[in-house]
Amino acid sequence: MTFVTARRLPAVPSWVDHAIWWQVYPLGFAGAFPAEQPPGPGEHRLRRITEWFDHAIALGASGIALGPIFASRTHGYDTTDHYRIDPRLGDDDDFDYLLSEAHRRGLRVLLDGVFNHVGVDFPRYREVLQDGASAGWFHGRPGHFHVFEGHGDLITLNHDNPEVADYTVDVMRYWLRRGADGWRLDAAYAVSPRFWAGVLPRVRETHPDAWFLGELIHGDYAAMVAEARFDSATQYELWKAIWSSLNDGNFYELDWALQRHNTFLASFAPLTFIGNHDVTRIASQLENPEHVALALAIQMTVGGIPSVYAGDEFGYQGVKEERFGGDDAVRPKFGSPPVPVDERGARLWSLHQYLIGLRRRHPWLRAASTTALRLENRHYVYQTRCGDDALIVALNIDDMPLQVDISRAEVIAGSGAPAQEVVDAVVVEPHGWRILRPLEGA
């Protein structure tokens, strides 16, 4: 049995208490991949992201979570050189410009670190036939090296090799010195926690204010975070439970996931999301378009650190497929802002602004736990609480109205809800939602 308390978690930087990320996949966002003719550094496409920083601030975000920006052959996760900006995006000056524009606006910047595997153009891999020491950087032997999840062009690093650990530490420190605020650790679930536990404290020695997010998909999140010394982890369990419970009319799944989520919050604040660069867009994933609002309401009223994937705030659609190029639909090119949106897109934008604003006005939500007040297949009412602060969220995915009796509460948000109304009961229309604030004496 693994005990989470066996290893004390590192202190999380104070700025993370208010973090809300706007996530961008730069190669797709800037139209650099896929592209019929790969752009060169002279096009400075990385700078195009900075045109959207004011949009991110208007949305309510406090940071930009970037996908891969380092030299690679294709999608960015087949890294060639961790010390070089991908020439399809630009060069060092473009990176410096992006950081300066972000920090000038008070935005943090999170980088995507791919340290589980590298691409076939990685210099050490190209040298393996001539250099035995280089072969020691990878699992297996020449001609039979391990690859990541069946992808023959993603060669798995040997994390038992001290040189690989030193390299990872040096890369992280290099870009943190350049001004980055933290790292998302790609495929962290595929790497031994011992590796991260050896690497991250060394990086924190020189950059104590940096934040480290591990990409975890399954397993014992809390134990992995504790053993690996992460600050946070991607909450894929909650992501799946949100859309699946809405589609299946089964709020018992969501309640189970939120009970698990409560246990995680006891030791760390997970990264919550309803969309990212690796999954089908939430507007395409949900069978009922009205339920996008409910999914967002859930995300913004439960504990954790929220992340919004660029385009979801407009209701962008895109289906991820398990084939070559299957990610392209969820990683589209963005033009210059503002972009034209239809009436539905405008409503979703306003809803994102309001709910993220609510989140910022209630920073205690980061550590809040949830308790079911009413749980049925198609009805879910829960309280989200941290200390003396609380909200009540009522969700109805039935075709009939739902009446919720509650002793004195203020309606502060919802579908078709009058603002600031004090009620003793609320009727939630079919496929609707409400957020209420319990009043004293209730």
Side-chain angles (χ1 to χ4, degrees):
M1 180 180 294
T2 301
F3 292 94
V4 175
T5 54
R7 187 185 294 272
R8 188 169 61 87
L9 290 166
V12 177
S14 59
W15 60 264
V16 180
D17 288 346
H18 305 281
I20 297 176
W21 297 102
W22 189 59
Q23 189 209 351
V24 174
Y25 174 74
L27 288 166
F29 192 96
F33 178 84
E36 291 185 10
Q37 185 65 37
E43 296 190 26
H44 307 289
R45 295 199 177 206
L46 193 61
R47 297 189 181 221
R48 298 184 184 184
I49 298 172
T50 66
E51 299 176 15
W52 286 83
F53 285 173
D54 290 338
H55 165 87
I57 291 171
L59 180 67
S62 63
I64 308 297
L66 295 175
I69 59 171
F70 307 124
S72 71
R73 177 187 284 185
T74 59
H75 45 58
Y77 291 98
D78 52 344
T79 313
T80 299
D81 187 347
H82 291 86
Y83 293 99
R84 182 187 180 203
I85 297 297
D86 195 306
R88 294 171 296 174
L89 293 173
D91 54 28
D92 277 5
D93 288 341
D94 298 318
F95 176 77
D96 291 340
Y97 177 78
L98 181 146
L99 278 182
S100 66
E101 288 298 298
H103 290 161
R104 182 172 67 83
R105 292 170 171 84
L107 293 169
R108 300 281 178 168
V109 177
L110 187 72
L111 299 182
D112 201 346
V114 188
F115 301 112
N116 174 67
H117 49 268
V118 295
V120 294
D121 288 334
F122 189 70
R124 285 284 189 174
Y125 181 71
R126 294 174 67 90
E127 297 166 359
V128 294
L129 293 179
Q130 295 79 33
D131 182 3
S134 292
W137 274 54
F138 308 98
H139 280 295
R141 64 185 190 278
H144 298 277
F145 286 119
H146 296 184
V147 298
F148 176 59
E149 297 184 348
H151 299 284
D153 55 349
L154 301 180
I155 314 302
T156 305
L157 289 165
N158 176 11
H159 298 96
D160 293 326
N161 186 336
E163 291 185 11
V164 173
D166 291 343
Y167 176 82
T168 303
V169 170
D170 193 65
V171 170
M172 286 188 183
R173 286 175 170 173
Y174 176 78
W175 292 105
L176 290 170
R177 285 197 303 270
R178 295 282 298 271
D181 295 288
W183 287 92
R184 171 192 178 270
L185 305 173
D186 181 69
Y189 58 88
V191 180
S192 167
R194 293 190 306 274
F195 175 79
W196 301 119
V199 163
L200 297 183
R202 294 170 60 188
V203 181
R204 286 190 176 96
E205 287 176 1
T206 53
H207 296 88
D209 207 32
W211 185 68
F212 300 93
L213 165 72
E215 185 194 16
L216 302 184
I217 297 178
H218 40 60
D220 190 339
Y221 288 11
M224 179 71 169
V225 167
E227 188 175 355
R229 312 289 286 168
F230 299 148
D231 292 313
S232 182
T234 52
Q235 228 304 25
Y236 268 93
E237 284 186 10
L238 183 58
W239 160 78
K240 192 271 180 184
I242 290 173
W243 65 259
S244 181
S245 64
L246 292 170
N247 278 350
D248 296 345
N250 178 19
F251 275 131
Y252 288 93
E253 178 184 2
L254 178 58
D255 184 67
W256 182 89
L258 284 174
Q259 290 181 51
R260 283 263 296 170
H261 192 65
N262 288 342
T263 67
F264 303 152
L265 287 161
S267 55
F268 73 98
L271 184 88
T272 63
F273 59 94
I274 55 175
N276 67 28
H277 66 296
D278 277 332
V279 302
T280 291
R281 293 266 185 186
I282 190 66
S284 296
Q285 187 75 69
L286 290 174
E287 296 167 1
N288 186 330
E290 295 180 72
H291 292 173
V292 174
L294 279 73
L296 183 65
I298 296 165
Q299 183 197 8
M300 293 300 164
T301 56
V302 301
I305 299 170
S307 175
V308 176
Y309 183 46
D312 282 355
E313 68 271 34
F314 296 131
Y316 279 16
Q317 296 190 329
V319 176
K320 177 184 172 71
E321 300 179 40
E322 297 301 325
R323 60 173 178 80
F324 181 78
D327 293 314
D328 296 349
V330 299
R331 302 173 177 181
K333 177 181 178 180
F334 280 58
S336 296
V339 296
V341 293
D342 58 16
E343 181 181 349
R344 178 171 174 272
R347 287 199 305 270
L348 280 174
W349 163 252
S350 295
L351 180 62
H352 275 79
Q353 282 187 306
Y354 183 85
L355 288 177
I356 293 173
L358 181 148
R359 182 84 183 197
R360 293 176 69 99
R361 292 191 299 275
H362 299 82
W364 56 267
L365 281 167
R366 174 183 175 272
S369 59
T370 58
T371 304
L373 303 180
R374 179 171 177 176
L375 175 59
E376 297 159 353
N377 282 336
R378 306 182 71 83
H379 304 140
Y380 190 33
V381 181
Y382 63 87
Q383 182 185 78
T384 183
R385 173 177 289 277
C386 182
D388 294 332
D389 297 304
L391 295 174
I392 293 174
V393 181
L395 308 172
N396 177 20
I397 56 173
D398 198 27
D399 293 331
M400 299 294 292
L402 166 68
Q403 177 164 323
V404 180
D405 296 319
I406 180 170
S407 177
R408 293 197 73 237
E410 179 185 18
V411 179
I412 60 173
S415 47
Q420 317 304 317
E421 183 184 23
V422 177
V423 298
D424 292 311
V426 64
V427 176
V428 183
E429 66 277 5
H431 305 281
W433 56 282
R434 294 288 188 278
I435 300 175
L436 306 101
R437 180 188 295 111
L439 300 177
E440 280 191 38

